Amino acid sequence: MSVTSVGADARPAQWRAGLGRLAAGSRAGLGRLAAGVALLTAVALLPWLSGNDPALTVLRARSADQDPTPAQLAAVREQLGLDEGPFTHLVHWLGGLPRGDAGTSWVSGEPVLPQVTAAFAVSFTLMLGALVVTIAVAALVSARTLYLGSRRRLHRRRGATGAAVLAALPKFLLASLLATVCGVWLGWFPSSGWEGPSSMVLPALALGVPSGAMIGGLLDQALPAAFHEPWARTWHAYGFTSGHIARHALRRTLAGVLPQLLPTVVALVGGAVAVEKIFNIPGLGRLALDAAIAQDLPPLQTATLVLILLGITAGLLIQALRRALLGPALRDGALPALHAPALPRRRSSRWAAGACAIALLTLVIAGLLRDPLHVDTAARLLPPSAAHPLGTDSLGRDLLARLGHGALRTVGVALAVTAVCTLTGLLLGMATQVGAGLTEAVSTLPAVLAGLLTTAVTGPSVWGAALAVCLVGWTPYAAQAAALLEQERASGHMLASLSIGAGRGYRLRRHLLPAVLPAVLRNALLRLPTTVLVLASLGFLGLGEQPPTAEWGRLLSENQPYVELAPWAVLGPACALVLLSVLAVSGTASGRSGPRRTADR
């Protein structure tokens, strides 16, 4: 066969591959468009779904009038055109966007676009600062594994206790501590407001440290598999420098961890509501929350659209960066499979996990023997003592009792929500074209906004809050599953399986799921304390668990204003969350097996 005929035969195959990529891109674009339209429609329905009179809510937001007259309500309805319905408002709003007109605020009467633009600039700057902190913390968490693995001295598995502790730190609690210590007591940085670069330091630390621990923990778990690949052993034997090996191992594993930046860091633009309130930062998340509470539809819709566009843009950039890191091997199906080595655990990590389990059980059992609802106003905010081992809260209730009685409800609801989010993310991650657009659109939306939408239908309850978290909490797992599946499908052994006639079911059971499930489950358990805190933030805003129910996240939210006066009021539930996180990470480490083996590898 001549060279000309070979080239002629190759061109149709290249054309077919190009057409396939074009069709996949079109489906992904349609998925992004459908997700954006669905979210904007849901937001447009909020005033009508809530069951409250939108005119009454807007009028109260304007003048705080608790008992307006029917004539006043009728005037507001006529002014805002509320009788026309939500879809007419949505069409008018969309029609003004090409002209740069996002409408006027129903509450203040001012143009919406300048407000949203200024708030987005603040939140985007804060996100960049948090991203720098995230990368620095992730580098510190994974530095030891990177150093030892590049020198072929990685003989034991790390317990990841430090990363678990940092990842479990409540962002709003960390923000309060930083504002009090570094802002008020020491005066190093501003503790409130947004005046310049120095105002960004403390909130960026509060947001970036837990996020960096999360990303660093996932990277630290993935690096041993890269150093276990044959190329790493060969390069070390041929005398390549450790720095050269470390860079290539980092490039190999970053492709799988990089999608976590989308739901973990980019979502801070809309999801940093609590931190923005503590530091009095006029960000986009705070603007969206205030507009949703006041049912001020034009700024809420505009903020939602900005968040959707940000998520889609960031998703496309991360996807392009992933493919640049993996190179032509991703396109040509020549990626080597990552096999996690069977490294023994350190004995100290087992002792630490056992100590955490004993401490947590002791706290829970001791708390169950006490009354969590007994109020003693004469014993408000007492420090730890023999009578109250963890102290008392602002109403004089025993914190140990509330911690013990809230354990089952807290862990049970968080586990149920995590299981639903993990399964949903896994299924949507497998639907690559449709799931990618939906993941990008939803990843930047605050859970608080989802909570407002669900509460409008279900009313405030713990299960309404759980449903709200399920609506947005699946995005990290979908992004991770989609990235790992893309890499697994491009590996050499998948082509070998196809060449011997392996069916779709066989490839799913023996290749795809074993490559994805362990990493996704480790990610889910590492995020378990974060789920508790998101549920707590919804309860704190009156959208979730209602008082006087004893629940760990609610204990943190209720006692956060007293952190300077009585730090022990938040120490107990914060330590319980840290213990839970360490146990979750230890469980995933103990359940990790050695290299996966299949019949055709």
Side-chain angles (χ1 to χ4, degrees):
M1 183 181 293
S2 66
V3 175
T4 304
S5 63
V6 171
D9 292 337
R11 278 194 296 271
Q14 294 174 353
W15 293 341
R16 286 194 297 272
L19 289 174
R21 288 193 294 270
L22 181 62
S26 300
R27 288 193 295 270
L30 290 175
R32 295 182 181 99
L33 180 62
V37 171
L39 289 173
L40 288 174
T41 303
V43 169
L45 290 172
L46 178 61
W48 286 266
L49 288 175
S50 63
N52 300 323
D53 186 355
L56 177 61
T57 306
V58 171
L59 193 58
R60 286 177 175 173
R62 287 177 177 178
S63 60
D65 189 355
Q66 298 299 316
D67 191 20
T69 63
Q72 291 174 318
L73 293 176
V76 172
R77 290 193 192 96
E78 183 179 359
Q79 177 190 1
L80 301 180
L82 295 176
D83 294 333
E84 298 177 1
F87 297 106
T88 303
H89 274 279
L90 180 60
V91 171
H92 287 331
W93 175 76
L94 289 174
L97 290 179
R99 304 190 303 270
D101 180 17
T104 58
S105 170
W106 289 357
V107 175
S108 66
E110 298 178 356
V112 167
L113 198 57
Q115 300 178 36
V116 174
T117 303
F120 174 75
V122 172
S123 291
F124 188 75
T125 305
L126 180 58
M127 183 203 73
L128 293 180
L131 180 60
V132 171
V133 177
T134 298
I135 294 174
V137 174
L140 291 175
V141 169
S142 57
R144 178 184 177 276
T145 301
L146 192 65
Y147 177 83
L148 294 178
S150 63
R151 288 161 173 78
R152 309 295 300 170
R153 290 161 51 187
L154 191 63
H155 305 305
R156 288 186 178 273
R157 188 189 310 159
R158 292 189 64 188
T161 303
V165 171
L166 291 177
L169 288 176
K171 289 183 174 68
F172 61 86
L173 180 59
L174 184 58
S176 297
L177 290 174
L178 289 173
T180 302
V181 176
C182 299
V184 178
W185 292 354
L186 301 177
W188 290 347
F189 302 101
S191 60
S192 179
W194 188 262
E195 300 174 357
S198 59
S199 301
M200 185 177 64
V201 175
L202 296 183
L205 287 173
L207 295 170
V209 169
S211 300
M214 183 78 63
I215 299 296
L218 295 173
L219 184 62
D220 191 68
Q221 293 170 355
L223 279 170
F227 289 122
H228 189 65
E229 287 185 331
W231 67 264
R233 297 193 297 269
T234 303
W235 287 15
H236 181 77
Y238 273 88
F240 281 82
T241 63
S242 57
H244 191 70
I245 297 174
R247 284 195 301 273
H248 281 269
L250 193 61
R251 179 177 179 176
R252 180 70 175 92
T253 52
L254 268 179
V257 178
L258 199 59
Q260 295 301 298
L261 288 176
L262 181 63
T264 302
V265 179
V266 178
L268 296 178
V269 172
V273 180
V275 175
E276 288 178 356
K277 280 185 170 293
I278 290 172
F279 288 102
N280 194 24
I281 297 174
L284 191 63
R286 187 176 174 185
L287 174 66
L289 176 61
D290 293 340
I293 293 175
Q295 297 191 12
D296 192 359
L297 206 53
L300 178 59
Q301 287 176 322
T302 308
T304 304
L305 178 62
V306 170
L307 292 174
I308 292 172
L309 293 177
L310 173 66
I312 292 175
T313 303
L316 293 174
L317 290 175
I318 289 174
Q319 186 179 17
L321 183 56
R322 278 189 63 252
R323 292 181 175 177
L325 287 173
L326 293 174
L330 180 65
R331 183 187 65 248
D332 299 336
L335 278 177
L338 287 174
H339 299 282
L343 299 175
R345 293 184 65 196
R346 291 181 177 275
R347 184 173 299 178
S348 59
S349 63
R350 295 192 184 96
W351 282 106
C356 289
I358 293 173
L360 190 58
L361 285 175
T362 302
L363 287 173
V364 171
I365 294 173
L368 290 173
L369 301 177
R370 296 166 175 261
D371 183 6
L373 300 178
H374 177 68
V375 175
D376 184 4
T377 55
R380 296 177 64 250
L381 298 176
L382 289 181
S385 62
H388 305 285
L390 295 182
T392 61
D393 64 6
S394 58
L395 296 179
R397 295 173 296 189
D398 185 78
L399 285 171
L400 179 59
R402 296 183 63 75
L403 184 69
H405 283 267
L408 184 60
R409 192 175 186 89
T410 299
V411 179
V413 174
L415 283 174
V417 170
T418 301
V420 172
C421 291
T422 304
L423 181 60
T424 305
L426 191 62
L427 294 175
L428 289 175
M430 290 181 175
T432 309
Q433 281 77 32
V434 178
L438 191 59
T439 302
E440 294 163 359
V442 176
S443 60
T444 54
L445 288 183
V448 172
L449 182 56
L452 289 168
L453 292 172
T454 56
T455 303
V457 180
T458 65
S461 66
V462 62
W463 297 113
L467 177 60
V469 178
C470 289
L471 289 176
V472 297
W474 53 268
T475 54
Y477 316 118
Q480 184 181 28
L484 294 176
L485 282 171
E486 186 181 25
Q487 293 178 203
E488 186 70 10
R489 290 190 179 107
S491 60
H493 64 267
M494 287 294 291
L495 294 179
S497 295
L498 287 171
S499 66
I500 62 175
R504 181 176 298 178
Y506 179 86
R507 298 197 306 271
L508 182 66
R509 293 192 312 272
R510 304 300 298 270
H511 296 293
L512 298 179
L513 285 180
V516 173
L517 272 180
V520 172
L521 289 177
R522 288 195 296 270
N523 189 8
L525 289 176
L526 191 62
R527 292 179 181 273
L528 184 61
T530 304
T531 303
V532 175
L533 295 174
V534 174
L535 290 168
S537 65
L538 295 177
F540 183 66
L541 295 170
L543 305 176
E545 190 72 85
Q546 300 299 301
T549 306
E551 192 265 338
W552 291 357
R554 184 157 192 86
L555 295 182
L556 284 170
S557 299
E558 289 175 343
N559 296 305
Q560 181 264 334
Y562 309 100
V563 66
E564 183 178 357
L565 177 65
W568 56 84
V570 297
L571 188 61
C575 289
L577 281 175
V578 169
L579 293 175
L580 179 64
S581 180
V582 172
L583 285 176
V585 173
S586 300
T588 59
S590 61
R592 221 179 301 173
S593 59
R596 291 178 288 116
R597 293 182 175 88
T598 55
D600 55 301
R601 285 193 195 181

